[in-house]
Amino acid sequence: MCPLDVPPAAASASGVPDVHAGDMETAAIHHLYPGFVDTEAAKKLPAVALRDEDADKWMIGGHIHALSPAGYLGAPADFETVAAEDHLNDYAQRLYQAIGRTLPDR
């Protein structure tokens, strides 16, 4: 679906991809806004993996409750293992490259 050749993000060591509110997103919010994350609650959340056959449901939307009744897909408990600043810098670099590829040559 993505026209970009994007290597996997290296900021997370979790074996469960962060689709929504998993380790990487929780770490980023905690890094930027520490008071917004209930870290004790996050540490107790079990990982919820998005199955490959459910990816289309996620992309279309409207199925989050069926895919994850708690509203997250990933491993938020692993947020302390994420290099949050590296993750945010990587994300910014990917956006920069994606935008650069869409601009006409000058």
Side-chain angles (χ1 to χ4, degrees), residues 14-51:
S14 177
V16 179
D18 183 347
V19 177
H20 176 65
D23 62 328
M24 294 174 72
E25 287 186 359
T26 301
I29 296 302
H30 180 62
H31 178 74
L32 296 171
Y33 309 100
F36 285 19
V37 174
D38 183 342
T39 56
E40 294 309 309
K43 291 176 188 178
K44 296 175 186 173
L45 294 172
V48 177
L50 179 67
R51 300 177 314 167

Side-chain angles (χ1 to χ4, degrees), residues 2-7 93-105:
C2 180
L4 304 176
D5 180 24
V6 181
Q93 182 66 29
R94 290 167 189 259
L95 288 173
Y96 170 80
Q97 290 173 353
I99 292 167
R101 289 180 182 149
T102 65
L103 296 175
D105 292 332

